[in-house]
Coordinates of all heavy atoms in Angstrom, one line a residue:
M1 N 84.3 106.9 53.8 CA 85.2 105.9 54.2 C 84.5 104.7 54.6 O 83.5 104.7 55.4 CB 86.0 106.5 55.4 CG 87.0 105.5 55.9 SD 88.0 106.2 57.2 CE 89.5 106.5 56.3
S2 N 84.8 103.5 54.1 CA 84.1 102.3 54.4 C 85.0 101.4 55.3 O 86.2 101.5 55.3 CB 83.9 101.5 53.1 OG 85.1 101.2 52.5
I3 N 84.2 100.6 56.0 CA 84.9 99.7 56.9 C 85.2 98.3 56.2 O 84.2 97.7 55.7 CB 84.1 99.4 58.2 CG1 83.8 100.7 58.9 CG2 84.7 98.4 59.1 CD1 82.9 100.6 60.1
E4 N 86.4 98.0 56.2 CA 86.8 96.7 55.6 C 87.7 96.0 56.6 O 88.2 96.6 57.5 CB 87.5 96.9 54.3 CG 86.7 97.6 53.2 CD 87.6 97.9 52.0 OE1 88.7 97.5 51.9 OE2 87.1 98.6 51.1
R5 N 87.8 94.7 56.4 CA 88.6 93.9 57.3 C 90.1 94.4 57.3 O 90.7 94.4 58.3 CB 88.6 92.4 57.0 CG 87.3 91.8 57.3 CD 87.3 90.3 56.9 NE 86.0 89.8 56.9 CZ 85.6 88.7 57.5 NH1 86.5 88.0 58.2 NH2 84.4 88.3 57.5
G6 N 90.6 94.8 56.2 CA 91.9 95.2 56.1 C 92.3 96.5 56.7 O 93.4 96.7 57.2
N7 N 91.3 97.4 56.8 CA 91.7 98.8 57.3 C 90.9 99.1 58.6 O 90.6 100.3 58.9 CB 91.5 99.8 56.3 CG 90.0 100.0 55.9 OD1 89.1 99.3 56.4 ND2 89.8 101.0 55.1
A8 N 90.5 98.2 59.4 CA 89.7 98.5 60.6 C 90.5 99.3 61.6 O 89.9 100.3 62.2 CB 89.2 97.2 61.2
G9 N 91.7 99.0 61.7 CA 92.6 99.8 62.6 C 92.8 101.2 62.2 O 92.7 102.2 63.0
E10 N 92.9 101.4 60.9 CA 93.1 102.8 60.3 C 91.8 103.5 60.5 O 91.8 104.7 60.8 CB 93.4 102.7 58.8 CG 94.8 102.0 58.5 CD 95.0 101.8 57.0 OE1 94.2 102.4 56.2 OE2 95.9 101.1 56.7
H11 N 90.7 102.9 60.2 CA 89.4 103.5 60.4 C 89.2 104.0 61.8 O 88.8 105.2 62.0 CB 88.3 102.5 60.0 CG 86.9 103.1 60.1 ND1 86.4 104.0 59.2 CD2 85.9 102.9 61.0 CE1 85.2 104.3 59.6 NE2 84.9 103.6 60.7
T12 N 89.5 103.2 62.8 CA 89.3 103.6 64.2 C 90.2 104.7 64.5 O 89.8 105.7 65.2 CB 89.7 102.4 65.1 OG1 88.9 101.3 64.7 CG2 89.4 102.7 66.5
A13 N 91.5 104.7 64.1 CA 92.4 105.8 64.3 C 92.0 107.1 63.7 O 92.1 108.2 64.3 CB 93.8 105.4 63.8
F14 N 91.4 107.0 62.4 CA 91.0 108.2 61.7 C 89.9 108.9 62.5 O 89.9 110.1 62.8 CB 90.5 107.8 60.3 CG 89.8 108.9 59.6 CD1 90.5 109.9 59.0 CD2 88.4 108.9 59.6 CE1 89.8 111.0 58.4 CE2 87.7 110.0 58.9 CZ 88.5 111.0 58.3
W15 N 88.9 108.1 62.9 CA 87.7 108.7 63.6 C 88.1 109.2 65.1 O 87.6 110.1 65.6 CB 86.5 107.8 63.7 CG 85.9 107.7 62.4 CD1 85.9 106.7 61.5 CD2 85.1 108.8 61.7 NE1 85.2 107.1 60.3 CE2 84.7 108.3 60.5 CE3 84.8 110.1 62.1 CZ2 84.0 109.1 59.6 CZ3 84.1 110.9 61.3 CH2 83.7 110.4 60.0
R16 N 89.1 108.5 65.6 CA 89.6 109.0 66.9 C 90.2 110.4 66.8 O 90.0 111.3 67.6 CB 90.6 108.0 67.5 CG 91.0 108.3 68.9 CD 92.0 107.4 69.6 NE 91.7 106.0 69.3 CZ 92.4 105.1 68.6 NH1 93.5 105.6 68.1 NH2 92.1 103.9 68.5
R17 N 91.0 110.6 65.7 CA 91.6 111.9 65.4 C 90.5 112.9 65.1 O 90.5 114.1 65.5 CB 92.6 111.8 64.3 CG 93.9 111.1 64.7 CD 94.9 111.3 63.7 NE 94.6 110.7 62.4 CZ 94.7 109.4 62.0 NH1 95.3 108.6 62.8 NH2 94.4 109.0 60.8
V18 N 89.5 112.5 64.3 CA 88.4 113.5 63.8 C 87.6 113.9 65.0 O 87.3 115.1 65.2 CB 87.5 112.8 62.8 CG1 86.3 113.6 62.5 CG2 88.3 112.6 61.5
L19 N 87.3 113.0 65.9 CA 86.4 113.3 67.1 C 87.2 113.8 68.3 O 86.7 114.0 69.3 CB 85.6 112.1 67.4 CG 84.6 111.6 66.4 CD1 84.0 110.3 66.8 CD2 83.6 112.7 66.1
N20 N 88.5 113.9 68.1 CA 89.4 114.5 69.1 C 89.4 113.6 70.4 O 89.4 114.1 71.5 CB 89.0 115.9 69.4 CG 90.2 116.8 69.8 OD1 91.4 116.3 69.6 ND2 90.0 118.0 70.2
K21 N 89.4 112.3 70.2 CA 89.4 111.4 71.4 C 90.8 111.0 71.7 O 91.7 111.0 70.9 CB 88.6 110.1 71.0 CG 87.2 110.3 70.6 CD 86.4 110.6 71.9 CE 84.9 110.7 71.5 NZ 84.1 111.0 72.7
P22 N 91.1 110.8 73.0 CA 92.4 110.4 73.4 C 92.8 109.0 72.9 O 91.9 108.2 72.6 CB 92.4 110.5 74.9 CG 91.0 110.2 75.3 CD 90.2 110.8 74.1
E23 N 94.1 108.8 72.8 CA 94.6 107.5 72.4 C 94.2 106.5 73.5 O 94.3 106.8 74.7 CB 96.1 107.5 72.2 CG 96.5 108.3 71.0 CD 96.2 107.6 69.7 OE1 96.2 106.4 69.6 OE2 95.8 108.3 68.7
P24 N 93.9 105.3 73.1 CA 93.5 104.3 74.2 C 94.7 103.9 75.0 O 95.9 103.8 74.5 CB 93.0 103.1 73.4 CG 93.6 103.2 72.1 CD 93.8 104.7 71.8
V25 N 94.5 103.8 76.3 CA 95.6 103.5 77.2 C 95.7 102.0 77.4 O 94.6 101.3 77.6 CB 95.4 104.1 78.6 CG1 96.5 103.7 79.6 CG2 95.3 105.6 78.5
T26 N 96.8 101.4 77.1 CA 96.9 100.0 77.3 C 97.0 99.6 78.8 O 97.8 100.2 79.5 CB 98.2 99.4 76.6 OG1 99.3 100.1 77.1 CG2 98.1 99.6 75.1
A27 N 96.2 98.7 79.2 CA 96.1 98.4 80.6 C 97.4 97.6 81.0 O 98.0 96.9 80.2 CB 94.9 97.5 80.9
E28 N 97.8 97.9 82.2 CA 99.0 97.2 82.8 C 98.7 95.8 83.0 O 97.7 95.4 83.5 CB 99.4 97.9 84.1 CG 100.7 97.4 84.6 CD 101.2 98.2 85.8 OE1 101.0 99.4 85.9 OE2 101.7 97.5 86.7
R29 N 99.6 94.9 82.6 CA 99.4 93.5 82.7 C 99.4 93.1 84.1 O 100.3 93.4 84.9 CB 100.6 92.8 82.0 CG 100.5 91.3 81.9 CD 101.7 90.7 81.3 NE 102.1 89.4 81.7 CZ 102.5 89.0 82.8 NH1 102.6 89.8 83.8 NH2 102.7 87.7 83.1
K30 N 98.4 92.3 84.5 CA 98.2 91.8 85.8 C 99.0 90.5 85.9 O 98.9 89.7 85.0 CB 96.8 91.6 86.2 CG 96.0 92.9 86.3 CD 94.6 92.7 86.7 CE 93.8 94.0 86.8 NZ 92.4 93.8 87.2
P31 N 99.6 90.2 87.1 CA 100.3 88.9 87.2 C 99.3 87.8 87.3 O 98.2 87.9 87.8 CB 101.0 89.1 88.6 CG 100.3 90.2 89.3 CD 99.7 91.1 88.3
T32 N 99.7 86.6 86.8 CA 98.9 85.5 86.8 C 98.8 84.9 88.2 O 99.6 85.3 89.1 CB 99.4 84.4 85.8 OG1 100.7 84.0 86.3 CG2 99.5 84.9 84.4
Q33 N 97.9 83.9 88.4 CA 97.8 83.3 89.7 C 99.1 82.6 90.1 O 99.5 82.7 91.3 CB 96.7 82.3 89.7 CG 96.5 81.6 91.1 CD 95.3 80.6 91.1 OE1 94.8 80.3 90.0 NE2 95.0 80.1 92.2
A34 N 99.8 82.0 89.2 CA 101.0 81.3 89.5 C 102.1 82.3 89.9 O 102.9 82.1 90.8 CB 101.5 80.5 88.2
E35 N 102.2 83.5 89.2 CA 103.1 84.5 89.6 C 102.8 85.1 90.9 O 103.7 85.4 91.7 CB 103.1 85.6 88.5 CG 103.7 85.2 87.2 CD 103.4 86.2 86.1 OE1 102.5 87.0 86.2 OE2 104.1 86.1 85.0
R36 N 101.5 85.3 91.2 CA 101.2 85.9 92.5 C 101.6 84.9 93.6 O 102.1 85.2 94.7 CB 99.7 86.2 92.6 CG 99.3 87.4 91.8 CD 97.8 87.8 92.1 NE 96.9 86.7 92.2 CZ 96.1 86.3 91.2 NH1 96.2 87.0 90.0 NH2 95.3 85.3 91.3
F37 N 101.3 83.6 93.4 CA 101.6 82.6 94.4 C 103.2 82.5 94.6 O 103.6 82.3 95.7 CB 101.1 81.2 93.9 CG 101.4 80.1 94.9 CD1 100.7 80.0 96.1 CD2 102.4 79.2 94.6 CE1 101.1 79.0 97.0 CE2 102.7 78.2 95.5 CZ 102.1 78.1 96.7
A38 N 103.9 82.6 93.5 CA 105.4 82.5 93.6 C 105.9 83.7 94.4 O 106.8 83.5 95.2 CB 106.0 82.5 92.2
A39 N 105.4 84.9 94.2 CA 105.8 86.0 94.9 C 105.4 85.9 96.4 O 106.3 86.2 97.3 CB 105.2 87.3 94.4
W40 N 104.2 85.4 96.7 CA 103.8 85.2 98.1 C 104.7 84.2 98.8 O 105.1 84.3 99.9 CB 102.3 84.8 98.1 CG 101.9 84.3 99.5 CD1 101.5 85.1 100.5 CD2 101.9 83.0 100.0 NE1 101.2 84.4 101.6 CE2 101.5 83.1 101.3 CE3 102.3 81.8 99.4 CZ2 101.4 81.9 102.1 CZ3 102.1 80.6 100.2 CH2 101.7 80.7 101.5
S41 N 105.0 83.1 98.0 CA 105.8 82.0 98.6 C 107.2 82.5 98.9 O 107.7 82.2 100.0 CB 105.8 80.9 97.6 OG 106.6 79.8 98.1
A42 N 107.8 83.3 98.1 CA 109.1 83.8 98.3 C 109.1 84.7 99.6 O 110.0 84.6 100.4 CB 109.6 84.6 97.1
Q43 N 108.1 85.6 99.7 CA 108.0 86.5 100.8 C 107.8 85.7 102.1 O 108.4 85.9 103.1 CB 106.9 87.5 100.6 CG 106.7 88.4 101.7 CD 107.9 89.4 101.9 OE1 108.5 89.8 100.9 NE2 108.3 89.7 103.1
N44 N 107.0 84.6 102.0 CA 106.7 83.8 103.2 C 108.0 83.1 103.6 O 108.2 82.9 104.8 CB 105.6 82.8 102.8 CG 105.0 82.2 104.0 OD1 104.9 82.8 105.0 ND2 104.6 80.9 103.9
R45 N 108.8 82.6 102.7 CA 110.0 81.9 103.0 C 111.0 82.8 103.7 O 111.7 82.5 104.7 CB 110.7 81.3 101.8 CG 110.3 79.9 101.5 CD 111.1 79.3 100.4 NE 110.2 79.2 99.2 CZ 110.4 79.9 98.1 NH1 111.4 80.6 97.9 NH2 109.5 79.8 97.1
Q46 N 111.1 84.1 103.3 CA 111.9 85.1 104.0 C 111.5 85.3 105.4 O 112.3 85.4 106.3 CB 111.9 86.4 103.2 CG 112.7 86.3 101.9 CD 112.6 87.7 101.1 OE1 111.8 88.5 101.5 NE2 113.4 87.8 100.1
N47 N 110.1 85.5 105.5 CA 109.6 85.7 106.9 C 109.9 84.5 107.8 O 110.2 84.7 109.0 CB 108.1 86.0 106.8 CG 107.8 87.3 106.1 OD1 108.7 88.1 105.9 ND2 106.6 87.5 105.7
E48 N 109.7 83.3 107.3 CA 110.0 82.1 108.1 C 111.4 82.0 108.5 O 111.8 81.6 109.6 CB 109.5 80.9 107.4 CG 108.0 80.6 107.4 CD 107.7 79.4 106.7 OE1 108.5 78.7 106.1 OE2 106.5 79.1 106.7
A49 N 112.3 82.4 107.6 CA 113.8 82.4 107.9 C 114.1 83.3 109.0 O 114.9 83.0 109.9 CB 114.6 82.7 106.6
K50 N 113.5 84.5 109.0 CA 113.8 85.5 110.1 C 113.2 85.0 111.4 O 113.8 85.1 112.4 CB 113.1 86.8 109.7 CG 113.7 87.6 108.6 CD 113.0 88.8 108.3 CE 113.5 89.5 107.0 NZ 112.7 90.7 106.6
A51 N 112.0 84.4 111.3 CA 111.4 83.9 112.5 C 112.2 82.7 113.1 O 112.2 82.5 114.3 CB 109.9 83.5 112.2
T52 N 112.8 81.9 112.3 CA 113.5 80.7 112.7 C 114.8 81.2 113.5 O 115.1 80.7 114.5 CB 114.0 79.9 111.5 OG1 112.8 79.5 110.8 CG2 114.7 78.6 112.0
Q53 N 115.4 82.3 113.0 CA 116.6 82.8 113.7 C 116.2 83.3 115.1 O 116.9 83.1 116.1 CB 117.2 83.9 112.9 CG 117.8 83.4 111.6 CD 118.2 84.6 110.7 OE1 118.0 85.7 111.0 NE2 118.8 84.2 109.5
T54 N 115.1 84.0 115.1 CA 114.6 84.6 116.4 C 114.2 83.4 117.4 O 114.5 83.5 118.5 CB 113.4 85.5 116.2 OG1 113.8 86.5 115.3 CG2 113.0 86.1 117.5
R55 N 113.6 82.4 116.8 CA 113.2 81.3 117.6 C 114.4 80.6 118.2 O 114.3 80.1 119.4 CB 112.4 80.2 116.8 CG 111.0 80.2 117.1 CD 110.3 79.1 116.3 NE 109.5 79.8 115.3 CZ 109.4 79.5 114.0 NH1 110.0 78.5 113.5 NH2 108.7 80.3 113.2
A56 N 115.5 80.5 117.5 CA 116.7 79.8 118.0 C 117.2 80.6 119.2 O 117.6 80.0 120.2 CB 117.8 79.7 116.9
V57 N 117.2 81.9 119.2 CA 117.7 82.7 120.3 C 116.8 82.6 121.5 O 117.2 82.4 122.6 CB 117.8 84.2 119.9 CG1 118.0 85.1 121.1 CG2 118.8 84.4 118.8
V58 N 115.5 82.5 121.2 CA 114.5 82.4 122.3 C 114.7 81.0 123.0 O 114.7 80.9 124.2 CB 113.1 82.6 121.8 CG1 112.1 82.2 122.9 CG2 112.9 84.0 121.4
E59 N 114.9 80.0 122.2 CA 115.1 78.6 122.7 C 116.3 78.5 123.6 O 116.4 77.9 124.6 CB 115.1 77.6 121.6 CG 113.8 77.3 120.9 CD 112.7 76.8 121.9 OE1 113.1 76.0 122.7 OE2 111.6 77.3 121.8
Q60 N 117.4 79.2 123.1 CA 118.6 79.2 123.9 C 118.4 79.9 125.2 O 118.9 79.4 126.2 CB 119.7 80.0 123.1 CG 121.0 80.1 123.8 CD 122.0 81.0 123.1 OE1 121.7 81.5 122.0 NE2 123.2 81.1 123.6
T61 N 117.7 81.0 125.2 CA 117.4 81.7 126.4 C 116.5 80.8 127.4 O 116.8 80.8 128.6 CB 116.6 83.0 126.1 OG1 117.3 83.8 125.2 CG2 116.3 83.8 127.4
R62 N 115.6 80.1 126.8 CA 114.8 79.2 127.7 C 115.6 78.1 128.3 O 115.4 77.8 129.5 CB 113.6 78.6 126.9 CG 112.6 79.6 126.6 CD 111.4 78.9 125.8 NE 110.4 79.9 125.5 CZ 109.6 79.9 124.5 NH1 109.6 78.8 123.7 NH2 108.7 80.8 124.3
R63 N 116.6 77.6 127.5 CA 117.5 76.5 128.1 C 118.3 77.1 129.2 O 118.5 76.5 130.2 CB 118.3 76.0 127.0 CG 117.7 74.9 126.1 CD 118.7 74.2 125.2 NE 119.5 75.1 124.4 CZ 119.1 75.5 123.2 NH1 117.9 75.1 122.7 NH2 119.8 76.2 122.4
E64 N 118.8 78.3 129.0 CA 119.6 79.0 130.0 C 118.8 79.3 131.3 O 119.2 79.1 132.4 CB 120.1 80.3 129.5 CG 121.2 80.1 128.4 CD 121.6 81.5 127.8 OE1 121.1 82.5 128.2 OE2 122.5 81.4 126.9
L65 N 117.5 79.6 131.1 CA 116.6 79.9 132.3 C 116.3 78.7 133.1 O 116.1 78.8 134.3 CB 115.3 80.5 131.8 CG 115.5 82.0 131.2 CD1 114.1 82.4 130.8 CD2 116.0 82.9 132.3
H66 N 116.4 77.5 132.4 CA 116.0 76.3 133.2 C 117.2 75.7 133.9 O 117.1 74.7 134.6 CB 115.4 75.2 132.2 CG 114.1 75.6 131.7 ND1 113.0 75.8 132.6 CD2 113.6 76.0 130.5 CE1 111.9 76.2 131.9 NE2 112.3 76.3 130.6
T67 N 118.4 76.3 133.7 CA 119.5 75.9 134.5 C 119.4 76.6 135.9 O 119.3 77.8 136.0 CB 120.9 76.4 133.8 OG1 120.9 75.9 132.5 CG2 122.1 75.9 134.6
P68 N 119.5 75.8 137.0 CA 119.3 76.4 138.3 C 120.3 77.5 138.6 O 121.5 77.3 138.5 CB 119.5 75.2 139.2 CG 119.3 74.0 138.4 CD 119.7 74.4 137.0
G69 N 119.7 78.7 139.0 CA 120.6 79.8 139.4 C 121.1 80.6 138.2 O 121.6 81.7 138.4
A70 N 121.0 80.1 137.0 CA 121.7 80.8 135.9 C 120.9 82.1 135.5 O 121.5 83.1 135.1 CB 121.7 79.9 134.6
A71 N 119.6 82.2 135.7 CA 118.9 83.3 135.3 C 119.0 84.5 136.3 O 118.7 85.6 135.9 CB 117.4 83.0 135.2
Y72 N 119.5 84.2 137.5 CA 119.5 85.3 138.5 C 120.9 85.8 138.8 O 121.0 86.6 139.8 CB 118.8 84.8 139.7 CG 117.4 84.4 139.4 CD1 117.0 83.0 139.3 CD2 116.4 85.3 139.2 CE1 115.7 82.7 139.0 CE2 115.1 85.0 138.9 CZ 114.8 83.6 138.8 OH 113.5 83.2 138.5
K73 N 121.9 85.5 138.1 CA 123.2 86.0 138.3 C 123.3 87.4 137.9 O 122.8 87.8 136.8 CB 124.3 85.2 137.6 CG 124.4 83.8 138.2 CD 125.5 83.1 137.4 CE 125.6 81.6 137.9 NZ 126.6 80.9 137.1
V74 N 123.9 88.3 138.7 CA 124.1 89.7 138.2 C 125.2 89.7 137.1 O 126.2 89.0 137.2 CB 124.6 90.5 139.4 CG1 125.0 91.9 139.0 CG2 123.5 90.6 140.5
G75 N 124.9 90.4 136.1 CA 125.8 90.4 134.9 C 125.4 89.4 133.8 O 126.0 89.4 132.8
A76 N 124.5 88.5 134.1 CA 124.1 87.5 133.1 C 123.3 88.2 132.0 O 122.6 89.2 132.3 CB 123.2 86.4 133.8
E77 N 123.5 87.8 130.8 CA 122.8 88.4 129.7 C 121.6 87.6 129.3 O 121.6 86.3 129.3 CB 123.7 88.5 128.5 CG 124.8 89.5 128.6 CD 125.6 89.7 127.4 OE1 125.5 88.8 126.5 OE2 126.4 90.6 127.3
R78 N 120.5 88.2 129.0 CA 119.3 87.6 128.6 C 118.8 88.2 127.3 O 119.1 89.3 127.0 CB 118.2 87.7 129.6 CG 118.6 87.1 130.9 CD 117.4 87.1 131.9 NE 116.3 86.4 131.3 CZ 115.0 86.4 131.8 NH1 114.8 87.1 132.9 NH2 114.1 85.8 131.2
F79 N 118.1 87.4 126.5 CA 117.6 87.9 125.2 C 116.1 88.1 125.3 O 115.4 87.3 125.9 CB 117.8 86.8 124.1 CG 119.3 86.7 123.7 CD1 120.1 85.8 124.2 CD2 119.8 87.6 122.7 CE1 121.4 85.7 123.8 CE2 121.1 87.5 122.3 CZ 121.9 86.6 122.9
A80 N 115.7 89.3 124.8 CA 114.3 89.6 124.8 C 113.7 88.9 123.6 O 114.4 88.4 122.7 CB 114.1 91.1 124.7
M81 N 112.3 88.9 123.5 CA 111.7 88.3 122.4 C 112.0 88.9 121.0 O 112.0 88.2 120.0 CB 110.1 88.3 122.6 CG 109.6 87.5 123.7 SD 110.0 85.7 123.5 CE 108.7 85.3 122.4
D82 N 112.4 90.2 121.0 CA 112.7 90.8 119.8 C 114.2 90.6 119.4 O 114.7 91.1 118.4 CB 112.4 92.3 119.8 CG 113.2 93.0 120.9 OD1 113.9 92.4 121.7 OD2 113.1 94.3 120.9
G83 N 115.0 89.8 120.2 CA 116.3 89.5 119.9 C 117.4 90.4 120.5 O 118.5 90.2 120.4
T84 N 116.9 91.5 121.2 CA 117.9 92.4 121.9 C 118.4 91.7 123.2 O 117.8 90.9 123.8 CB 117.2 93.7 122.2 OG1 116.1 93.5 123.1 CG2 116.8 94.4 121.0
R85 N 119.6 92.1 123.6 CA 120.3 91.6 124.8 C 120.1 92.5 125.9 O 120.2 93.7 125.8 CB 121.8 91.5 124.5 CG 122.2 90.1 124.2 CD 123.7 90.0 124.2 NE 124.1 89.2 123.0 CZ 125.3 89.0 122.7 NH1 126.3 89.5 123.4 NH2 125.6 88.2 121.7
W86 N 119.8 91.9 127.1 CA 119.7 92.7 128.3 C 120.6 92.1 129.3 O 120.8 90.9 129.5 CB 118.2 92.5 128.9 CG 117.2 93.2 128.0 CD1 116.7 92.8 126.8 CD2 116.6 94.5 128.2 NE1 115.8 93.6 126.3 CE2 115.8 94.7 127.1 CE3 116.8 95.4 129.2 CZ2 115.0 95.9 127.1 CZ3 116.0 96.6 129.1 CH2 115.1 96.8 128.1
K87 N 121.3 93.0 130.0 CA 122.2 92.6 131.1 C 121.6 92.7 132.4 O 121.0 93.8 132.7 CB 123.5 93.4 131.0 CG 124.7 92.8 131.7 CD 126.0 93.4 131.4 CE 126.9 92.4 130.9 NZ 128.2 92.9 130.5
R88 N 121.6 91.7 133.3 CA 121.0 91.8 134.6 C 121.9 92.6 135.5 O 123.1 92.4 135.6 CB 120.8 90.4 135.1 CG 120.0 90.4 136.4 CD 119.6 89.0 136.8 NE 118.6 88.4 136.0 CZ 117.3 88.6 136.1 NH1 116.9 89.4 137.0 NH2 116.5 88.0 135.3
V89 N 121.3 93.7 136.1 CA 122.1 94.6 136.9 C 121.8 94.4 138.4 O 122.5 94.9 139.3 CB 121.9 96.0 136.5 CG1 122.5 96.2 135.1 CG2 120.4 96.4 136.5
A90 N 120.6 93.8 138.7 CA 120.3 93.7 140.2 C 119.6 92.3 140.4 O 119.1 91.7 139.5 CB 119.4 94.8 140.6

């Protein structure tokens, strides 16, 4: 069997079968730099949107705390840094 330009693929496949070699595995395509950046940017925008909502609640709490006497009323609600509500009981 001779190697020619026209049958190089057939030649390789023939000897792979003769020598009992496994079929070559095609490597999974890696994302390009632009695709990686786009994915990172989208994730970053989602994280910033969540942080902005939490920031608004915290800013509201801070404004409430700076009102004289508002922070110390029994039954007043306060927001923790994680966004949960706490009711003052004492």
Side-chain angles (χ1 to χ4, degrees):
M1 178 174 258
S2 64
I3 298 175
E4 298 174 7
R5 290 179 194 233
N7 68 353
E10 294 173 16
H11 179 73
T12 306
F14 170 78
W15 285 109
R16 191 179 312 115
R17 287 190 301 274
V18 168
L19 298 173
N20 216 10
K21 300 284 184 180
E23 292 290 325
V25 179
T26 55
E28 189 175 319
R29 183 183 154 292
K30 293 183 179 179
T32 63
Q33 182 180 9
E35 291 169 341
R36 288 193 313 265
F37 180 75
W40 171 84
S41 182
Q43 181 64 38
N44 197 33
R45 270 188 252 115
Q46 287 178 351
N47 293 344
E48 283 182 357
K50 289 177 188 174
T52 304
Q53 293 169 357
T54 304
R55 250 183 254 135
V57 171
V58 171
E59 289 299 321
Q60 178 186 0
T61 303
R62 286 184 182 153
R63 281 193 301 274
E64 290 172 0
L65 290 178
H66 292 296
T67 307
Y72 299 104
K73 291 181 184 174
V74 175
E77 290 184 348
R78 296 187 58 189
F79 288 93
M81 291 297 282
D82 62 355
T84 58
R85 260 189 220 178
W86 292 78
K87 196 167 236 181
R88 189 170 288 278
V89 293

